[in-house]
Amino acid sequence: MSGHSTYVPKSPVMKWFESRLPLFGLIHSSFVAYPTPRNLNYLWTFGGILSFMLVAQIVTGIVLVMHYTPHATMAFSSVEHIMRDVNYGWLLRYLHANGASMFFIAVYIHMFRGMYYGSYKAPREVLWILGVIIFLLMMATAFMGYVLPWGQMSFWGATVITNLFSALPIVGEPIVTWLWGGYSVDNPTLNRFFSLHYLLPFMIAGVVALHVWALHVVGQNNPTGVDIKNPAKDAVPFTPYATVKDAFGLVCFLVVFAWFVFYVPNYLGHADNYTEANPAVTPAHIVPEWYFLPFYAILRAIPNKLMGVIAMFSSIAVLVFLPWLDTSKVRSAVYRPLFKQFFWVFVAVCVGLGYLGAMPPEGGYVIAARVLTAYYFIHFLVILPLLGLFETPRPVPASIADAVLAKHGGGAAAAVAMGAASAPSKK
Amino acid sequence: MKKTTLLIAGALAATLAAFAPAHASGTEKPPRVSWSFAGPFGTFDRAQLQRGFKVYREVCSSCHAMSRVAFRNLAEPGGPGFSEAQIKALAAEYKIKDGPNDQGEMFERPGRPADRFPAPFPNENAARAANGGAYPPDFSVLAKARTYERGFPWFLFDIVTQYQEQGPDYIHALLTGYADPPQGFPLQPGQSYNKYMAGNAIAMPKPLSDGQVEYPKGPDGKPAAPETVDQYAKDVTAFMMWAAEPHLEARKAMGFKVILFLIVFAGLLYFTKKKIWARVHDEAHA
């Protein structure tokens, strides 16, 4: 996409190094000269925000591990030790705990942005699927991380979620025993979750590298969904244009992050997790972290346990097939009047499922969860395939530059030029 | 188009609301208390923390441990503000089990500032045996371990208004919520009726009564704060919040600086971005 590197080393040392390992050429072509569509809006800053959050989580996590003790009898006390006695330990822990939530807020915005602008469509299918893998790894990491403070919700959340595997016929019970390292969630479970919680972020970093690589092969999508045709007119170099815009977006995001960390640090957590894990006392409501609630609602909506587990995993697995379920040739929702409406209904359904996931599974809540679960799957399996066939999209601009001209120039000339150019450019 | 979306979203919200079953439990929502440590500039009231500590020491500590708090914490910045000398004298009043010594025996010695508060019972079973089967919870993080359901849409507003004092409000309500049970309300022996306890039956007998704890006198010879159940409850709750979050003041003070810095930094970046991108927009008009 970016072509051969335009990086020219100046000093003899750099020339010597570059001819042996063209590392700076790679960095230059990926983050400096890389052509980025000129019409990207602020939703495109979330890729950079997510990279920052991953690094922030790894850095705060590594320091926390220096003070944390992964043992069933000491984990809760060691977290309190961090909160009370470690210098700025409270800051590290609140950054890490709220950082997980911020990571998910950013990833959900990032995913919905991809859905709205059709960023999963050819040639970006692999890019999208790598994203789904990252999302799955994030969920596993976050789930195991929430177990580590060994509070009541840690313990019972781990018990409920690992128990899901017992729904599998024949192999279910042995799998659960194997996961626990015993016959209940206990010290062996805490130890292996700690080990995996340390490992998985580095796997995420690896898949992120692939995700960025795939992105740089196929190029970024943009609000029009039209490919870059003439880099000189449609694109701007990544640095300084995207760099400064991403930096501004990131700092705005950090204001929200700081608000949670310093002013409402326990808002996104659960009070029960300040009570040490006790296998003899079950909390009144076992609720996962907020970012799992929509999936938890889907799990509980199905009366049969095995079917519920299958539905929950399917609700994520279906995302892998999204590039082929959406049959429309037009990428961006901007030019798809019907899809745009269905998109916002889908967003509302996801939020609704999240709300229902936090409510007790009784009465009307269950009925509502069933309706919304059904709609969740209908959106992917029925609405998206049919929309592509029946929807009449609005005319797509010939190029990114034309779309920008029409918006900013506002002049009749630009509009005429756009109309004239749009006909032959249809592939 | 936007209207349709709004309509659909509205219909969805209305459906959700209609499905929501009415809560049929007899527990009341705790009333809001105006805490000095609430809000972005919240700080603890030193005198209140000292009074709260007195209430804890004279009333609560006979059953409730506070094992994660050390005597030295009481003299640290952001806390009740006792002097080092006061803490030394206070710690020495406690007997701490230590050892083993050279002879291999455990022994008792006077407390030191670095010691943590000794628990009133040697273990949970002993605590239960002495309290009719109920286990008085440790005070160390209790103010963060208790809460009450805020409900939609209040839980959303709480992010902006920074309402984080559900725990303290609940504890204050519980301490002041003892009442005579309604006719025919089933209470087990040893239980009391409480308006705010889940299920309304609580194993802790009414712990506070007016005039129970003597408060320091002001220059006019009157107590510095009213010696009432309500005031005792407020003071001990504030103390519990400090015990649960001893670095609350440092956190809020740093937060203000961090957010101020980030907003200024964002402003500078915004104008830098505008300047850099101006070239591109000029081209668009050319």
Side-chain angles (χ1 to χ4, degrees):
Chain A
M1 178 79 213
S2 50
H4 200 71
S5 175
T6 53
Y7 174 69
V8 185
K10 288 190 185 80
S11 77
V13 177
M14 294 305 274
K15 269 183 195 148
W16 179 88
F17 186 84
E18 198 65 11
S19 60
R20 282 154 183 81
L21 179 71
L23 179 66
F24 293 96
L26 179 72
I27 293 172
H28 185 269
S29 62
S30 303
F31 301 107
V32 179
Y34 179 66
T36 175
R38 61 188 285 183
N39 61 335
L40 297 186
N41 58 36
Y42 277 102
L43 291 173
W44 263 267
T45 60
F46 280 90
I49 289 170
L50 284 161
S51 311
F52 176 89
M53 287 312 301
L54 177 62
V55 174
Q57 287 301 87
I58 289 177
V59 170
T60 52
I62 286 173
V63 183
L64 283 170
V65 166
M66 297 175 189
H67 305 280
Y68 169 78
T69 312
H71 190 279
T73 58
M74 290 182 271
F76 189 86
S77 294
S78 73
V79 170
E80 276 307 309
H81 160 70
I82 289 169
M83 291 297 287
R84 290 159 190 275
D85 299 330
V86 174
N87 288 335
Y88 297 102
W90 57 268
L91 177 61
L92 283 168
R93 175 167 171 259
Y94 280 152
L95 280 172
H96 196 73
N98 285 283
S101 282
M102 293 300 128
F103 207 154
F104 274 94
I105 289 176
V107 91
Y108 284 134
I109 294 174
H110 192 65
M111 289 165 74
F112 278 124
R113 189 269 289 152
M115 289 185 186
Y116 186 82
Y117 293 110
S119 301
Y120 46 80
K121 290 185 194 183
R124 296 185 182 85
E125 301 97 321
V126 172
L127 174 62
W128 171 262
I129 292 168
L130 286 168
V132 176
I133 293 171
I134 294 170
F135 179 53
L136 271 173
L137 287 172
M138 275 176 67
M139 293 174 90
T141 310
F143 163 66
M144 293 184 198
Y146 196 63
V147 176
L148 302 187
W150 211 240
Q152 273 290 66
M153 216 40 99
S154 300
F155 181 89
W156 290 99
T159 303
V160 168
I161 301 301
T162 46
N163 246 321
L164 292 180
F165 291 94
S166 72
L168 295 171
I170 305 164
V171 293
E173 292 293 342
I175 284 184
V176 173
T177 310
W178 178 72
L179 283 175
W180 286 343
Y183 297 101
S184 68
V185 173
D186 207 337
N187 193 49
T189 326
L190 175 60
N191 272 282
R192 61 192 57 191
F193 278 18
F194 174 62
S195 172
L196 294 173
H197 183 72
Y198 209 122
L199 167 70
L200 290 186
F202 296 98
M203 290 175 65
I204 294 178
V207 186
V208 166
L210 294 180
H211 190 67
V212 174
W213 184 12
L215 173 75
H216 285 230
V217 170
V218 295
Q220 282 164 292
N221 187 28
N222 64 81
T224 65
V226 177
D227 288 324
I228 294 176
K229 284 172 184 135
N230 180 352
K233 280 188 177 168
D234 294 342
V236 287
F238 192 87
T239 301
Y241 295 98
T243 332
V244 71
K245 197 167 175 175
D246 280 357
F248 174 60
L250 172 64
V251 173
C252 290
F253 185 79
L254 290 183
V255 173
V256 178
F257 186 11
W259 184 276
F260 276 94
V261 168
F262 292 107
Y263 291 141
V264 286
N266 294 307
Y267 176 85
L268 294 163
H270 201 288
D272 271 349
N273 231 27
Y274 278 109
T275 305
E276 191 168 2
N278 184 351
V281 180
T282 315
H285 296 295
I286 301 173
V287 183
E289 288 282 81
W290 69 268
Y291 36 81
F292 293 137
L293 290 174
F295 306 104
Y296 194 55
I298 290 174
L299 169 77
R300 298 189 307 180
I302 316 282
N304 177 295
K305 188 176 173 187
L306 177 61
M307 292 312 288
V309 173
I310 291 174
M312 184 178 72
F313 283 110
S314 307
S315 65
I316 301 163
V318 74
L319 295 173
V320 171
F321 303 98
L322 180 57
W324 298 277
L325 288 170
D326 184 350
T327 50
S328 173
K329 292 277 169 278
V330 177
R331 284 196 193 110
S332 172
V334 175
Y335 308 104
R336 298 185 60 190
L338 276 176
F339 170 74
K340 197 191 257 178
Q341 292 181 41
F342 281 109
F343 170 83
W344 287 113
V345 173
F346 176 70
V347 172
V349 165
C350 291
V351 173
L353 279 170
Y355 177 74
L356 292 169
M359 294 296 118
E362 58 196 27
Y365 290 133
V366 177
I367 303 166
R370 284 183 189 157
V371 172
L372 296 194
T373 299
Y375 186 88
Y376 181 95
F377 286 104
I378 289 171
H379 174 82
F380 286 109
L381 301 176
V382 179
I383 294 173
L384 286 185
L386 289 182
L387 263 188
L389 304 177
F390 294 105
E391 184 183 40
T392 317
R394 288 172 37 218
V396 173
S399 72
I400 294 170
D402 283 350
V404 174
L405 274 174
K407 207 172 168 186
H408 288 277
V416 170
M418 182 179 129
S422 68
S425 74
K426 281 259 160 75
K427 277 188 195 167
Chain B
M1 214 154 58
K2 283 237 172 78
K3 255 188 207 160
T4 336
T5 317
L6 275 179
L7 269 176
I8 295 167
L12 204 71
T15 323
L16 285 179
F19 273 127
H23 284 279
S25 88
T27 44
E28 289 180 32
K29 294 240 160 178
R32 288 281 287 267
V33 177
S34 157
W35 301 106
S36 70
F37 51 83
F41 304 107
T43 52
F44 289 111
D45 176 345
R46 313 274 160 242
Q48 183 175 43
L49 291 190
Q50 296 197 1
R51 293 196 304 270
F53 174 60
K54 197 162 193 284
V55 175
Y56 168 71
R57 222 182 141 202
E58 292 178 18
V59 184
C60 320
S61 67
S62 56
C63 299
H64 291 274
M66 193 169 61
S67 315
R68 298 177 198 284
V69 178
F71 296 114
R72 65 175 164 82
N73 294 141
L74 294 166
E76 282 167 4
F82 288 110
S83 70
E84 301 279 347
Q86 280 175 305
I87 294 309
K88 260 192 170 161
L90 173 83
E93 289 175 30
Y94 286 81
K95 287 263 175 290
I96 306 291
K97 198 172 190 186
D98 204 345
N101 62 11
D102 294 348
Q103 269 68 51
E105 276 155 28
M106 304 301 281
F107 60 93
E108 280 197 337
R109 58 160 175 82
R112 294 189 287 253
D115 289 320
R116 295 180 195 269
F117 276 85
F121 302 103
N123 53 58
E124 182 176 334
N125 289 5
R128 285 190 190 276
N131 287 284
Y135 180 47
D138 188 291
F139 265 23
S140 312
V141 269
L142 201 56
K144 289 197 285 185
R146 293 290 180 271
T147 189
Y148 66 93
E149 197 71 38
R150 287 284 283 158
F152 179 81
W154 307 110
F155 78 91
L156 290 175
F157 300 151
D158 291 346
I159 302 174
V160 183
T161 60
Q162 300 185 1
Y163 178 51
Q164 274 270 282
E165 292 75 37
Q166 285 93 335
D169 279 350
Y170 170 79
I171 292 170
H172 167 262
L174 192 83
L175 291 173
T176 55
Y178 284 83
D180 292 329
Q183 279 264 277
F185 186 87
L187 279 178
Q188 303 296 318
Q191 284 187 329
S192 303
Y193 183 84
N194 193 300
K195 286 188 276 181
Y196 302 99
M197 183 74 187
N200 297 112
I202 185 167
M204 172 170 70
K206 187 174 186 291
L208 299 167
S209 48
D210 289 344
Q212 187 179 359
V213 179
E214 199 179 324
Y215 275 166
K217 302 272 189 291
D220 54 351
K222 282 186 191 160
E227 291 168 340
T228 60
V229 169
D230 182 63
Q231 190 61 40
Y232 293 150
K234 279 180 184 153
D235 293 349
V236 79
T237 305
F239 174 74
M240 288 170 73
M241 187 62 217
W242 167 78
E245 187 91 3
H247 300 294
L248 179 143
E249 286 188 16
R251 163 162 65 79
K252 291 189 174 187
M254 186 193 282
F256 182 70
K257 287 182 225 161
V258 168
I259 289 183
L260 199 67
F261 166 79
L262 286 173
I263 289 174
V264 171
F265 189 26
L268 293 174
L269 278 170
Y270 174 75
F271 288 109
T272 313
K273 184 254 161 195
K274 226 178 144 175
K275 181 132 199 268
I276 288 172
W277 278 79
R279 292 176 240 162
V280 180
H281 291 306
D282 288 347
E283 277 170 45
H285 290 283

